[in-house]
Short mmCIF file of all heavy atoms in Angstrom, two decimals:
data_model
loop_
_atom_site.label_atom_id
_atom_site.label_comp_id
_atom_site.label_asym_id
_atom_site.label_seq_id
_atom_site.Cartn_x
_atom_site.Cartn_y
_atom_site.Cartn_z
N ARG A 942 25.98 12.40 -35.77
CA ARG A 942 26.30 11.07 -36.29
C ARG A 942 27.55 10.52 -35.65
O ARG A 942 27.76 9.30 -35.62
CB ARG A 942 26.45 11.12 -37.79
CG ARG A 942 27.59 11.99 -38.32
CD ARG A 942 27.45 12.15 -39.82
NE ARG A 942 28.45 13.13 -40.32
CZ ARG A 942 29.58 12.76 -40.93
NH1 ARG A 942 29.97 11.50 -40.95
NH2 ARG A 942 30.41 13.70 -41.37
N ASP A 943 28.41 11.33 -35.07
CA ASP A 943 29.60 10.84 -34.43
C ASP A 943 29.33 9.96 -33.26
O ASP A 943 30.14 9.16 -32.81
CB ASP A 943 30.52 12.00 -33.99
CG ASP A 943 31.11 12.71 -35.18
OD1 ASP A 943 31.24 12.08 -36.26
OD2 ASP A 943 31.46 13.89 -35.01
N ALA A 944 28.11 10.01 -32.69
CA ALA A 944 27.77 9.19 -31.54
C ALA A 944 27.79 7.74 -31.87
O ALA A 944 27.94 6.88 -30.97
CB ALA A 944 26.39 9.63 -31.01
N ASP A 945 27.56 7.38 -33.13
CA ASP A 945 27.45 5.94 -33.50
C ASP A 945 28.59 5.49 -34.41
O ASP A 945 28.47 4.48 -35.05
CB ASP A 945 26.11 5.70 -34.16
CG ASP A 945 24.97 5.79 -33.23
OD1 ASP A 945 25.12 5.27 -32.08
OD2 ASP A 945 23.95 6.41 -33.53
N ARG A 946 29.71 6.25 -34.47
CA ARG A 946 30.77 5.83 -35.38
C ARG A 946 31.49 4.63 -34.77
O ARG A 946 31.56 4.41 -33.60
CB ARG A 946 31.71 7.00 -35.55
CG ARG A 946 31.14 8.12 -36.42
CD ARG A 946 31.98 9.37 -36.35
NE ARG A 946 33.31 9.18 -36.98
CZ ARG A 946 33.52 9.36 -38.26
NH1 ARG A 946 32.55 9.73 -39.06
NH2 ARG A 946 34.73 9.19 -38.76
N LEU A 947 32.13 3.87 -35.72
CA LEU A 947 32.80 2.62 -35.31
C LEU A 947 33.93 2.85 -34.33
O LEU A 947 34.23 1.99 -33.53
CB LEU A 947 33.31 1.90 -36.57
CG LEU A 947 32.24 1.25 -37.50
CD1 LEU A 947 32.91 0.81 -38.75
CD2 LEU A 947 31.60 0.13 -36.75
N GLU A 948 34.60 4.02 -34.42
CA GLU A 948 35.79 4.23 -33.61
C GLU A 948 35.47 4.89 -32.26
O GLU A 948 36.35 5.45 -31.63
CB GLU A 948 36.81 5.10 -34.40
CG GLU A 948 36.46 6.58 -34.52
CD GLU A 948 35.45 6.84 -35.63
OE1 GLU A 948 34.78 5.93 -36.08
OE2 GLU A 948 35.36 8.02 -36.03
N ALA A 949 34.20 4.86 -31.83
CA ALA A 949 33.84 5.49 -30.57
C ALA A 949 34.61 4.95 -29.42
O ALA A 949 35.05 3.79 -29.38
CB ALA A 949 32.34 5.30 -30.32
N VAL A 950 34.79 5.77 -28.36
CA VAL A 950 35.53 5.37 -27.17
C VAL A 950 34.70 4.33 -26.42
O VAL A 950 33.49 4.46 -26.27
CB VAL A 950 35.80 6.58 -26.32
CG1 VAL A 950 36.40 6.18 -24.95
CG2 VAL A 950 36.76 7.52 -27.01
N GLN A 951 35.39 3.28 -25.93
CA GLN A 951 34.71 2.23 -25.18
C GLN A 951 35.57 1.85 -23.97
O GLN A 951 36.71 2.22 -23.85
CB GLN A 951 34.52 1.02 -26.09
CG GLN A 951 35.77 0.49 -26.74
CD GLN A 951 36.64 -0.34 -25.81
OE1 GLN A 951 36.16 -1.19 -25.03
NE2 GLN A 951 37.95 -0.05 -25.76
N VAL A 952 34.94 1.12 -23.02
CA VAL A 952 35.64 0.67 -21.83
C VAL A 952 35.60 -0.82 -21.66
O VAL A 952 36.28 -1.36 -20.79
CB VAL A 952 35.13 1.37 -20.58
CG1 VAL A 952 35.28 2.86 -20.64
CG2 VAL A 952 33.63 1.00 -20.34
N THR A 953 34.76 -1.52 -22.45
CA THR A 953 34.50 -2.93 -22.16
C THR A 953 35.66 -3.84 -22.52
O THR A 953 35.99 -4.80 -21.77
CB THR A 953 33.28 -3.41 -22.97
OG1 THR A 953 32.14 -2.52 -22.61
CG2 THR A 953 32.89 -4.81 -22.63
N ALA A 954 36.40 -3.56 -23.58
CA ALA A 954 37.41 -4.49 -24.07
C ALA A 954 38.67 -4.43 -23.18
O ALA A 954 39.34 -5.49 -23.00
CB ALA A 954 37.81 -4.16 -25.47
N THR A 955 39.04 -3.27 -22.65
CA THR A 955 40.31 -3.13 -21.89
C THR A 955 40.08 -2.62 -20.47
O THR A 955 41.08 -2.39 -19.75
CB THR A 955 41.26 -2.23 -22.62
OG1 THR A 955 40.67 -0.94 -22.80
CG2 THR A 955 41.68 -2.81 -23.99
N LEU A 956 38.85 -2.38 -20.07
CA LEU A 956 38.47 -1.89 -18.76
C LEU A 956 38.84 -0.42 -18.51
O LEU A 956 38.59 0.09 -17.40
CB LEU A 956 39.11 -2.76 -17.63
CG LEU A 956 38.74 -4.23 -17.66
CD1 LEU A 956 39.45 -4.97 -16.53
CD2 LEU A 956 37.25 -4.44 -17.58
N VAL A 957 39.46 0.25 -19.47
CA VAL A 957 39.73 1.68 -19.37
C VAL A 957 39.26 2.33 -20.66
O VAL A 957 39.21 1.67 -21.67
CB VAL A 957 41.26 1.97 -19.14
CG1 VAL A 957 41.70 1.36 -17.83
CG2 VAL A 957 42.06 1.37 -20.28
N PRO A 958 38.88 3.60 -20.63
CA PRO A 958 38.45 4.26 -21.80
C PRO A 958 39.53 4.25 -22.91
O PRO A 958 40.65 4.63 -22.70
CB PRO A 958 38.16 5.73 -21.35
CG PRO A 958 37.93 5.60 -19.87
CD PRO A 958 38.81 4.46 -19.44
N GLU A 959 39.12 3.80 -24.10
CA GLU A 959 40.09 3.67 -25.18
C GLU A 959 39.34 3.67 -26.51
O GLU A 959 38.22 3.19 -26.64
CB GLU A 959 40.87 2.36 -25.03
CG GLU A 959 42.07 2.31 -26.00
CD GLU A 959 43.00 1.20 -25.63
OE1 GLU A 959 42.79 0.42 -24.69
OE2 GLU A 959 44.09 1.09 -26.34
N ASP A 960 40.01 4.26 -27.53
CA ASP A 960 39.48 4.29 -28.87
C ASP A 960 39.43 2.87 -29.42
O ASP A 960 40.43 2.24 -29.55
CB ASP A 960 40.36 5.19 -29.73
CG ASP A 960 39.74 5.52 -31.08
OD1 ASP A 960 38.94 4.73 -31.55
OD2 ASP A 960 40.13 6.56 -31.66
N SER A 961 38.24 2.40 -29.77
CA SER A 961 38.08 1.02 -30.22
C SER A 961 38.74 0.82 -31.63
O SER A 961 38.97 -0.34 -31.99
CB SER A 961 36.60 0.64 -30.31
OG SER A 961 35.90 1.45 -31.22
N ALA A 962 39.05 1.89 -32.36
CA ALA A 962 39.71 1.72 -33.61
C ALA A 962 41.19 1.34 -33.48
O ALA A 962 41.79 0.85 -34.37
CB ALA A 962 39.63 3.01 -34.43
N LYS A 963 41.77 1.54 -32.29
CA LYS A 963 43.20 1.27 -32.08
C LYS A 963 43.49 -0.03 -31.39
O LYS A 963 44.68 -0.44 -31.28
CB LYS A 963 43.76 2.43 -31.24
CG LYS A 963 43.71 3.79 -31.94
CD LYS A 963 44.33 4.88 -31.06
CE LYS A 963 44.21 6.25 -31.79
NZ LYS A 963 44.77 7.33 -30.95
N ILE A 964 42.50 -0.75 -30.95
CA ILE A 964 42.75 -2.03 -30.26
C ILE A 964 42.35 -3.19 -31.19
O ILE A 964 41.69 -3.06 -32.16
CB ILE A 964 41.97 -2.09 -28.95
CG1 ILE A 964 40.43 -2.01 -29.20
CG2 ILE A 964 42.40 -1.03 -27.98
CD1 ILE A 964 39.60 -2.21 -27.98
N ALA A 965 42.85 -4.38 -30.80
CA ALA A 965 42.59 -5.56 -31.66
C ALA A 965 41.21 -6.08 -31.53
O ALA A 965 40.63 -6.62 -32.48
CB ALA A 965 43.58 -6.65 -31.24
N SER A 966 40.55 -5.89 -30.38
CA SER A 966 39.24 -6.49 -30.14
C SER A 966 38.19 -5.85 -31.03
O SER A 966 38.20 -4.65 -31.27
CB SER A 966 38.84 -6.29 -28.67
OG SER A 966 39.73 -6.93 -27.80
N PRO A 967 37.25 -6.69 -31.54
CA PRO A 967 36.14 -6.13 -32.35
C PRO A 967 35.05 -5.59 -31.44
O PRO A 967 34.34 -6.32 -30.77
CB PRO A 967 35.66 -7.33 -33.14
CG PRO A 967 36.08 -8.51 -32.32
CD PRO A 967 37.28 -8.14 -31.54
N VAL A 968 34.94 -4.25 -31.44
CA VAL A 968 33.99 -3.59 -30.55
C VAL A 968 33.18 -2.57 -31.34
O VAL A 968 33.73 -1.87 -32.20
CB VAL A 968 34.65 -2.83 -29.40
CG1 VAL A 968 33.64 -2.22 -28.43
CG2 VAL A 968 35.64 -3.74 -28.70
N VAL A 969 31.88 -2.56 -31.17
CA VAL A 969 31.04 -1.54 -31.73
C VAL A 969 30.29 -0.83 -30.63
O VAL A 969 29.79 -1.47 -29.68
CB VAL A 969 30.03 -2.10 -32.76
CG1 VAL A 969 28.99 -1.10 -33.17
CG2 VAL A 969 30.77 -2.62 -33.98
N VAL A 970 30.22 0.49 -30.68
CA VAL A 970 29.51 1.28 -29.68
C VAL A 970 28.20 1.81 -30.33
O VAL A 970 28.25 2.46 -31.39
CB VAL A 970 30.35 2.47 -29.21
CG1 VAL A 970 29.55 3.32 -28.22
CG2 VAL A 970 31.65 1.98 -28.61
N VAL A 971 27.07 1.48 -29.71
CA VAL A 971 25.77 2.00 -30.15
C VAL A 971 25.44 3.19 -29.31
O VAL A 971 25.34 3.09 -28.09
CB VAL A 971 24.69 0.90 -30.03
CG1 VAL A 971 23.37 1.45 -30.48
CG2 VAL A 971 25.05 -0.32 -30.86
N GLY A 972 25.23 4.35 -29.97
CA GLY A 972 25.03 5.58 -29.25
C GLY A 972 23.58 5.81 -28.86
O GLY A 972 22.70 5.01 -29.21
N PRO A 973 23.30 6.93 -28.18
CA PRO A 973 21.96 7.18 -27.67
C PRO A 973 20.88 7.31 -28.73
O PRO A 973 19.75 6.93 -28.54
CB PRO A 973 22.11 8.43 -26.83
CG PRO A 973 23.35 9.09 -27.36
CD PRO A 973 24.26 7.94 -27.77
N GLU A 974 21.23 7.87 -29.92
CA GLU A 974 20.20 8.06 -30.95
C GLU A 974 19.57 6.75 -31.35
O GLU A 974 18.37 6.63 -31.41
CB GLU A 974 20.81 8.76 -32.16
CG GLU A 974 19.76 9.00 -33.24
CD GLU A 974 20.33 9.73 -34.43
OE1 GLU A 974 21.57 9.96 -34.48
OE2 GLU A 974 19.53 10.08 -35.34
N LYS A 975 20.42 5.76 -31.65
CA LYS A 975 19.88 4.47 -32.08
C LYS A 975 19.21 3.74 -30.94
O LYS A 975 18.17 3.07 -31.14
CB LYS A 975 21.01 3.62 -32.66
CG LYS A 975 20.53 2.41 -33.41
CD LYS A 975 21.64 1.70 -34.15
CE LYS A 975 21.14 0.50 -34.95
NZ LYS A 975 22.23 -0.19 -35.71
N LEU A 976 19.75 3.83 -29.73
CA LEU A 976 19.11 3.22 -28.58
C LEU A 976 17.70 3.73 -28.36
O LEU A 976 16.79 2.96 -28.07
CB LEU A 976 19.94 3.46 -27.33
CG LEU A 976 21.25 2.64 -27.21
CD1 LEU A 976 22.13 3.25 -26.09
CD2 LEU A 976 20.94 1.21 -26.90
N HIS A 977 17.55 5.07 -28.51
CA HIS A 977 16.24 5.67 -28.20
C HIS A 977 15.22 5.47 -29.32
O HIS A 977 14.05 5.72 -29.14
CB HIS A 977 16.42 7.14 -27.89
CG HIS A 977 17.35 7.40 -26.75
ND1 HIS A 977 17.97 8.59 -26.51
CD2 HIS A 977 17.75 6.59 -25.72
CE1 HIS A 977 18.72 8.53 -25.43
NE2 HIS A 977 18.63 7.32 -24.94
N GLN A 978 15.66 4.97 -30.47
CA GLN A 978 14.74 4.65 -31.54
C GLN A 978 14.19 3.27 -31.44
O GLN A 978 13.27 2.90 -32.11
CB GLN A 978 15.42 4.83 -32.89
CG GLN A 978 15.69 6.29 -33.29
CD GLN A 978 16.52 6.40 -34.55
OE1 GLN A 978 17.08 5.43 -35.04
NE2 GLN A 978 16.59 7.63 -35.09
N ALA A 979 14.77 2.42 -30.61
CA ALA A 979 14.32 1.02 -30.46
C ALA A 979 12.85 1.05 -29.96
O ALA A 979 12.54 1.82 -29.04
CB ALA A 979 15.19 0.27 -29.47
#
């Protein structure tokens, strides 16, 4: 379940890997489990 948690690491908001829980931008990471159920 950690693959889809709100605080997942992302690169889109700041162009470098960063914990989305620590930055101001609203970012959600959708992990492989949910993607593959589409």
Side-chain angles (χ1 to χ4, degrees):
R942 63 191 173 99
D943 290 335
D945 291 317
R946 289 168 66 88
L947 289 171
E948 73 280 16
V950 172
Q951 56 76 46
V952 298
T953 304
T955 58
L956 302 180
V957 295
E959 189 166 4
D960 190 335
S961 62
K963 296 180 180 179
I964 60 174
S966 299
V968 185
V969 170
V970 178
V971 179
E974 180 179 7
K975 192 171 183 180
L976 285 167
H977 301 161
Q978 289 174 348

